[in-house]
Amino acid sequence: MTVAPAPDGMVPHAAAPRELAKALGTDLRCGLSSAEAAARLRRHGRNELIAEAPVPAWRRFLAQFQDVLVVLLLVATAISAGLWLHRRDAALPYEAIAIFAVVLLNAAMGYVQETRAAAAVAALRALSANAASTIRDGERRRIAAAELVPGDLLLVEEGDTIPADARVVATTALTTGEAALTGESLPVHKSIDVVDADTGLGDRVNMVFTGTTATYGRGMAVVTATGMQTEMGRIAGMLTGATEEPTPLQRELDRTGKVIGLVVVGIAIVMSATIIVVGDVREAASIADVLIFGVALAVAAVPEGLPAIVTAVLAIGVQRMARRSAIVRHLAAVETLGSASVIASDKTGTLTKNEMMVRRLVTSSCGCSVGGSGYGPDGELAPDGGTFGDEARAEIDRLLTAADRANNADVTEQDGRWIVHGDPTEGALRVAAIKAGLRSADLAARLPRIGEVPFSSERKLMSTIHRDVRGGGNVVFAKGAPDVLLQRCTREVLGDGTRPLTEDRRREILHCNDLLARDALRTLGVAVREVPAEAFREGTPPDPSLEQELAFAGLIGMIDPPRPEAAAAVARASGAGIRSVLITGDHPTTAAIIAQELGISADGRAVTGAELERMDDAALVRTVAEVSVFARVDPLHKLRLVKALQANGAIVAMTGDGVNDAPALKTADIGIAMGVTGTDVSKEAADIVLADDNFATIVAAVEEGRAIFANIRKFLRFLLSSNIGEVATMFFGVLLASRIGLPSEHGTLVLPLIATQILWINLVTDGAPALALGVDPADASLMRKAPRARGERVITARMWRGIVLVGAIMAAGTLYVLDAALPGGFVEGRGTLVHGQTMAFTTLMLFQLFNVLNARSDEQSAFVRLFTNGWLWLAIALSIGLQLLVIHVPALQRAFGTVALGWSDWLRCVAVASSVLWLRELSKLATRALSRRGVE
């Protein structure tokens, strides 16, 4: 296997860290400078795999003509033009020119729709691009992974997806999952040791690779290869060529379109054959006209553009969601959002501000309050007794020293605002230490870290080992859940020393912990232990025994206040029939208080992870139906909770941020990852990523999801009813030709509408108005309705009834106008055939414009929110303007077989066409009355 060398030919995994850093021109403490990184980015290119070459615009445009019906129409048009060349019965082949122009316009509209949808999807991919933590200019920074360059210092933490190939130069129990690259099923433990140059890929334990995942621990690595130079880049063929899978909605619409298409094509074939046989059509020109008519009818009536329009509407809607901080990774999630009946949310950062602030410190001798707000270092420590004694001061300093050192966060000031890089809880501990007069730089110099046992959700604690520069030995600092940490403690810190930890003191500490939790404070225990220098050697895995026989230093009470908008969001979700469930690792009392404050729970009941362990699946299913707060749970409990909620018939949206949350996110109907605090693994497993980690954003996403689905139903209602109206007009117009006054001449084709008119209606009404319906503003009533039922079809039985009713009204009205304009028939008229066809043509077009107002709801009146969609009225005005041109411009009259209409003609067309609005209003009134009585 080939190996990507450093610039001077050095093999990265066979070089010592300092040698490699020198070869790459980087500093292992400060990383690259910003200027050097920019220069390398220009030289090496972006850290991206080369995707398939984009399809040229001209090929995408020609693809619009691949449809069989369009090809047939072009062939028929060519035949018509050929007959004109033979006969020369007109100055120009107006009909052939008009049909070809309409086909070109339809292709152009399809091209624009597909281009816009593709651009929207590409924009969504850019929004969800991965980020990487690096050290540049001596500072920790979060940058786009695509901007990494060789020589960058990459910081890797549990849950990160590795963004580039890199040589490990520091590690704390770092392991990575490399199955995607090497096939190794077990996590690989990483080290900084040099390995042989010819070592196989799977055994390069001092390297991390693009696309693999950090499953545990943390570390630092020097980037050695980016983009196509990485190991994954060498096999980029495995990652390119991926196609967008159609969503269930798109598949259903595709099936619906094909069924309708087959029916319509069958009708067109039968009608064409009937016209030729019954009408005794023998002339070549008339036969060509029949063929053109049949194909035109099929093209106009088949909703072949449904998938493209659906994609465009989904993508545009999803961009609206992105502007509200909800980044959709899978379009199918948009469909499911409308059905969500349960939002199972974490507390920290989602329902709360994720700005932890230390409020209380409790040691063996004293308790004190901590002032200030947010992450700013302003604030003072106020002891309960008014002043600190020497013993109390020593305990507080020892407590906060341990909290500051057993810590991987950084607190920096940027543009006058204090920012935490890392875990918010750890950031709050560092801020508290600063308020107590303890500077992190001084502590780091006195107590340099030499080892770490990282935090895990199973252990619920973390420990760090430090060399005590003053004392000469080593010291262990541990922090974690108080009840867990106390089990590892045998002594208690008292002043400068320690004393045995009695059972009475254990009970007192746990009681104090409960009191803090009842004040909605999140509690953390801190412990210390001094060990001989020979008990731990730097660079070796820590012995688990180092976390035993600890001395308990005290309790720290922190608060993460609820977000101001959270309570309103919970209430809004409840009004939409969506139940909110709180799932957290926090203390049950704290969780219950927050849940009551936000309106999630009224009874204050919280079930703990320990209780869940004792429940079988049947008991859990019963419990989740009654309880809305689950505390002290781990990620495996989340998975059981999701399944239990689903067993009760719920459509579950689940939030998560950790590596171990991935199974629950995958299992949930909608997996929602935290964009700020979430790991790359959780984001990959999720359907939606919250850019602001805010519960209110989830509710907003549900609203947008419902609006998108409602808009899809609107244009489906419009397109299908309009198409049925066109087909029924032509079918019954031919069937009843002699009864409605259409002249019958031997060998000559006489139809209610000619082919160009049918295609024109399809162009001006199925394009802009349908897309305008797709961006209709959300109706406020959407969030006052129950979620859509699981398995409910996109076109319901009620919708089909409305679609068929509207199609029948349109056909009847159009044929009535045609009959009234012609001599004979049911209604006596005095017009010519061309005048009658023009009247029918205009009426059918206006029918569809009135119908677009109907289509906004199957139940609500069209006059509600009538002017909220400016795009819709613009589309209607555009359609009317184009129709006026076709009717009154002489050149277009010849192309489309029309004559000018007078004011009285226009008024008659408008009056008849408006009947679809008034009659549909009556049917909606009946529907609302039946709904109030509980009848579907």
Side-chain angles (χ1 to χ4, degrees):
M1 177 174 289
T2 58
V3 176
D8 65 351
M10 183 180 292
V11 177
H13 57 268
R18 292 188 184 280
E19 295 173 1
L20 181 63
K22 184 178 180 181
L24 288 169
T26 191
D27 187 292
L28 291 180
R29 289 180 295 114
C30 298
L32 297 174
S33 66
S34 297
E36 177 62 20
R40 294 190 184 192
L41 184 63
R42 289 191 295 270
R43 188 162 65 247
H44 294 280
R46 291 172 66 80
N47 177 33
E48 296 172 331
L49 297 180
I50 297 175
E52 289 183 329
V55 178
W58 65 270
R59 286 184 58 187
R60 285 189 283 119
F61 181 74
L62 289 181
Q64 306 300 317
F65 299 93
Q66 291 178 351
D67 187 89
V68 174
L69 293 176
V70 174
V71 172
L72 288 174
L73 189 57
L74 290 174
V75 170
T77 304
I79 293 172
S80 176
L83 290 171
W84 171 84
L85 284 171
H86 176 69
R87 295 181 304 184
R88 295 284 182 171
D89 55 354
L92 288 171
Y94 293 110
E95 184 179 59
I97 292 172
I99 292 175
F100 186 67
V102 171
V103 170
L104 280 179
L105 285 172
N106 261 323
M109 288 185 63
Y111 172 80
V112 170
Q113 287 174 4
E114 288 186 9
T115 301
R116 188 171 184 182
V121 172
L124 295 179
R125 289 198 187 102
L127 282 170
S128 59
N130 288 334
S133 292
T134 64
I135 295 177
R136 285 186 181 175
D137 299 315
E139 296 179 352
R140 176 171 176 160
R141 295 182 183 177
R142 190 78 170 162
I143 66 171
E147 296 176 5
L148 282 173
V149 295
D152 258 325
L153 278 186
L154 178 66
L155 300 177
V156 181
E157 296 182 351
E158 179 181 338
D160 287 351
T161 296
I162 309 300
D165 287 5
R167 168 68 158 89
V168 178
V169 296
T171 174
T172 303
L174 177 64
T175 63
T176 62
E178 299 180 353
L181 182 64
T182 66
E184 173 59 57
S185 58
L186 296 176
V188 179
H189 293 271
K190 296 298 175 179
S191 77
I192 63 173
D193 297 334
V194 173
V195 297
D196 292 338
D198 58 356
T199 301
L201 187 65
D203 295 320
R204 296 177 197 169
V205 294
N206 58 7
M207 296 288 295
V208 290
F209 303 102
T210 298
T212 62
T213 303
T215 57
Y216 192 75
R218 50 193 290 270
M220 183 169 68
V222 178
V223 174
T224 58
T226 59
M228 296 304 291
Q229 298 304 310
T230 63
E231 295 296 340
M232 193 65 80
R234 296 176 189 280
I235 51 173
M238 296 170 59
L239 302 177
T240 58
T243 57
E244 289 289 328
E245 285 295 319
T247 69
L249 171 64
Q250 289 169 317
R251 287 195 291 269
E252 180 179 348
L253 292 182
D254 188 46
R255 286 194 299 269
T256 301
K258 286 178 179 176
V259 170
I260 294 173
L262 288 173
V263 172
V264 170
V265 169
I267 291 174
I269 292 172
V270 170
M271 286 182 63
S272 300
T274 302
I275 292 168
I276 292 173
V277 174
V278 175
D280 196 20
V281 177
R282 296 178 182 176
E283 295 182 9
S286 296
I287 292 175
D289 288 342
V290 173
L291 294 176
I292 291 174
F293 156 74
V295 176
L297 179 63
V299 169
V302 173
E304 70 279 345
L306 274 185
I309 295 178
V310 169
T311 300
V313 171
L314 282 172
I316 293 167
V318 165
Q319 283 190 310
R320 282 208 311 259
M321 294 171 71
R323 287 194 290 270
R324 299 180 73 170
S325 299
I327 300 169
V328 176
R329 297 186 66 253
H330 305 127
L331 284 181
V334 177
E335 306 162 29
T336 315
L337 272 171
S339 304
S341 57
V342 171
I343 299 176
S345 172
D346 196 0
K347 177 180 73 67
T348 304
T350 309
L351 291 164
T352 60
K353 295 174 69 175
N354 200 23
E355 291 185 355
M356 296 300 297
M357 296 172 283
V358 174
R359 281 285 175 259
R360 291 285 296 169
L361 302 173
V362 180
T363 67
S364 59
S365 300
C366 78
C368 74
S369 299
V370 182
S373 63
Y375 295 127
D378 300 323
E380 297 181 351
L381 275 61
D384 294 344
T387 58
F388 281 116
D390 291 342
E391 194 173 70
R393 183 75 241 189
E395 291 170 4
I396 292 293
D397 285 353
R398 204 166 179 187
L399 172 66
L400 291 177
T401 294
D404 180 273
R405 292 297 81 207
N407 198 308
N408 292 315
D410 288 322
V411 182
T412 59
E413 186 179 13
Q414 296 179 8
D415 301 323
R417 183 166 173 257
W418 289 89
I419 306 293
V420 168
H421 301 281
D423 185 84
T425 297
E426 295 191 335
L429 297 176
R430 287 230 154 133
V431 172
I434 295 171
K435 292 176 181 178
L438 302 171
R439 295 181 66 248
S440 291
D442 296 338
L443 295 176
R446 180 165 63 88
L447 296 161
R449 182 186 294 189
I450 57 175
E452 176 183 348
V453 183
F455 175 86
S456 74
S457 54
E458 290 79 19
R459 294 179 345 108
K460 292 187 172 63
L461 83 157
M462 76 165 289
S463 300
T464 55
I465 304 99
H466 301 258
R467 186 171 66 254
D468 188 348
V469 174
R470 294 179 184 174
N474 291 339
V475 61
V476 177
F477 295 133
K479 73 177 193 299
D483 51 346
V484 173
L485 195 60
L486 273 173
Q487 297 173 15
R488 298 171 179 261
C489 294
T490 58
R491 302 187 67 78
E492 177 182 17
V493 171
L494 180 65
D496 288 326
T498 63
R499 68 180 178 188
L501 183 62
T502 65
E503 288 302 317
D504 287 341
R505 278 296 296 153
R506 288 180 190 274
R507 284 192 291 271
E508 288 176 12
I509 292 170
L510 290 174
H511 177 66
C512 181
N513 185 60
D514 289 339
L515 292 177
L516 292 174
R518 288 173 191 171
D519 290 333
L521 295 179
R522 179 180 177 181
T523 59
L524 196 66
V526 176
V528 301
R529 180 187 177 189
E530 295 180 358
V531 296
E534 60 271 15
F536 176 77
R537 185 170 65 87
E538 187 174 356
T540 62
D543 191 314
S545 65
L546 291 174
E547 293 183 308
Q548 302 296 332
E549 299 183 11
L550 300 168
F552 193 78
L555 292 170
I556 299 177
M558 293 172 282
I559 187 168
D560 179 12
R563 290 179 180 267
E565 66 275 17
V570 170
R572 197 151 186 262
S574 179
I578 303 170
R579 176 187 171 203
S580 298
V581 175
L582 175 60
I583 301 176
T584 179
D586 270 1
H587 193 282
T589 306
T590 304
I593 291 172
I594 294 291
Q596 284 184 293
E597 186 176 337
L598 296 177
I600 293 175
S601 172
D603 57 10
R605 182 182 174 189
V607 172
T608 66
E611 293 175 276
L612 293 179
E613 292 282 2
R614 295 192 292 270
M615 293 183 191
D616 60 20
D617 290 343
L620 183 57
V621 169
R622 293 191 298 270
T623 300
V624 297
E626 303 169 356
V627 180
S628 296
V629 182
F630 299 88
R632 282 286 188 262
V633 298
D634 61 34
L636 291 178
H637 295 143
K638 281 189 176 183
L639 182 60
R640 287 193 68 202
L641 288 169
V642 168
K643 291 181 177 179
L645 287 165
Q646 291 172 329
N648 280 330
I651 308 295
V652 183
M654 163 70 77
T655 69
D657 56 9
V659 175
N660 291 338
D661 288 333
L665 293 175
K666 280 285 189 184
T667 303
D669 298 281
I670 310 160
I672 303 174
M674 302 296 105
V676 178
T677 60
T679 60
D680 289 343
V681 172
S682 64
K683 293 173 190 176
E684 284 296 320
D687 303 298
I688 295 174
V689 177
L690 298 185
D692 59 0
D693 292 8
N694 193 341
F695 182 87
T697 301
I698 303 175
V699 180
V702 170
E703 180 182 17
E704 287 288 356
R706 289 188 178 189
I708 291 169
F709 196 86
N711 287 348
I712 289 172
R713 279 183 161 171
K714 290 174 187 177
F715 72 69
L716 280 175
R717 194 181 290 119
F718 168 67
L719 286 178
L720 295 178
S721 58
S722 297
N723 288 359
I724 287 175
E726 293 173 25
V727 172
T729 296
M730 299 307 298
F731 181 79
F732 289 104
V734 171
L735 196 65
L736 303 173
S738 60
R739 294 175 175 255
I740 59 176
L742 280 174
S744 176
E745 298 181 18
H746 181 73
T748 303
L749 173 66
V750 179
L751 296 168
L753 300 175
I754 64 175
T756 50
Q757 293 171 349
I758 297 172
L759 291 173
W760 179 256
I761 292 173
N762 189 62
L763 174 68
V764 300
T765 62
D766 284 9
L771 277 176
L773 282 175
V775 294
D776 209 29
D779 184 357
S781 66
L782 281 175
M783 294 301 283
R784 294 195 293 269
K785 298 176 180 177
R788 185 165 52 92
R790 184 192 289 270
E792 181 178 296
R793 304 302 295 264
V794 62
I795 306 177
T796 63
R798 174 189 288 182
M799 282 181 65
W800 276 120
R801 289 197 294 269
I803 287 168
V804 172
L805 173 63
V806 167
I809 294 171
M810 291 169 65
T814 302
L815 294 176
Y816 165 77
V817 169
L818 178 64
D819 186 3
L822 298 174
F826 295 108
V827 183
E828 185 62 37
R830 297 190 299 274
T832 64
L833 175 62
V834 176
H835 177 263
Q837 288 176 326
T838 303
M839 290 284 289
F841 173 39
T842 302
T843 301
L844 186 56
M845 189 279 301
L846 291 173
F847 258 129
Q848 299 197 13
L849 296 186
F850 278 107
N851 184 35
V852 81
L853 301 177
N854 284 330
R856 297 178 74 194
S857 175
D858 236 355
E859 185 173 315
Q860 194 176 66
S861 169
F863 298 98
V864 176
R865 302 170 56 248
L866 185 60
F867 298 105
T868 57
N869 188 346
W871 289 109
L872 184 60
W873 287 103
L874 183 63
I876 291 173
L878 176 65
S879 298
I880 292 174
L882 292 173
Q883 185 71 13
L884 285 169
L885 293 176
V886 167
I887 299 299
H888 295 284
V889 174
L892 295 177
Q893 287 176 339
R894 288 192 293 272
F896 289 91
T898 61
V899 294
L901 299 179
W903 283 108
S904 60
D905 293 330
W906 274 100
L907 287 175
R908 191 182 312 161
C909 292
V910 170
V912 173
S914 68
S915 65
V916 75
L917 181 62
W918 311 119
L919 292 173
R920 191 71 179 100
E921 284 293 299
L922 290 175
S923 72
K924 289 180 182 179
L925 186 65
T927 298
R928 292 195 295 272
L930 291 173
S931 295
R932 285 193 292 270
R933 297 179 185 178
V935 179
E936 172 60 31

